[in-house]
Amino acid sequence: MATVPSDVLAVELLQRECRVKKPLRVVPLFERLADLDAAPAAIARLFSIGWYRDCIDGKQEVMIGYSDSGKDAGRLSAAWELYKAQVVISVAKQHGVKLTMFHG
């Protein structure tokens, strides 16, 4: 799960340190209510980092989840938070990043 940019950057760093020849895509999962609430700011911060934008080559996948947010706040509140978290689409557009979002 991802709450802060370092959750994503740590995986990128691990791949670099291990000298992975073909690094895997890092797809942040925002699932708990705190994660969903923090998602737009976390994504905006990631996209403000030049080497990260170069690393993703202008494309980012993001997963927003239901199970933990549903446990945190109930289904209705979780659905509302999921809806609000989708503002990351506009954040991606501001940074010229093509965003693929999927639900899980």
Side-chain angles (χ1 to χ4, degrees):
M1 283 189 246
T3 304
V4 293
S6 63
D7 294 332
V8 175
L9 297 173
V11 179
E12 291 290 351
L13 178 61
L14 180 63
Q15 291 188 90
R16 283 183 181 200
E17 289 296 313
C18 293
R19 294 183 177 94
V20 176
K21 291 184 196 287
K22 293 183 94 178
L24 301 171
R25 293 183 324 271
V26 179
V27 178
L29 163 61
F30 299 104
E31 188 164 27
R32 294 175 301 141
L33 286 181
D35 303 337
L36 292 167
D37 191 45
I43 290 295
R45 180 66 183 114
L46 280 172
F47 293 164
S48 72
I49 301 169
W51 70 262
Y52 182 77
R53 275 196 327 275
D54 293 342
C55 184
I56 63 172
D57 194 28
K59 299 175 201 137
Q60 177 71 58
E61 292 174 277
V62 171
M63 179 178 177
I64 57 175
Y66 294 91
S67 62
D68 284 355
S69 58
K71 292 174 199 170
D72 280 352
R75 292 172 63 187
L76 182 60
S77 292
W80 179 245
E81 290 300 322
L82 287 162
Y83 173 78
K84 289 186 343 187
Q86 293 179 56
V87 73
V88 298
I89 294 169
S90 63
V91 171
K93 285 181 184 177
Q94 291 171 358
H95 290 275
V97 175
K98 182 178 186 261
L99 184 72
T100 300
M101 184 177 293
F102 60 99
H103 299 253

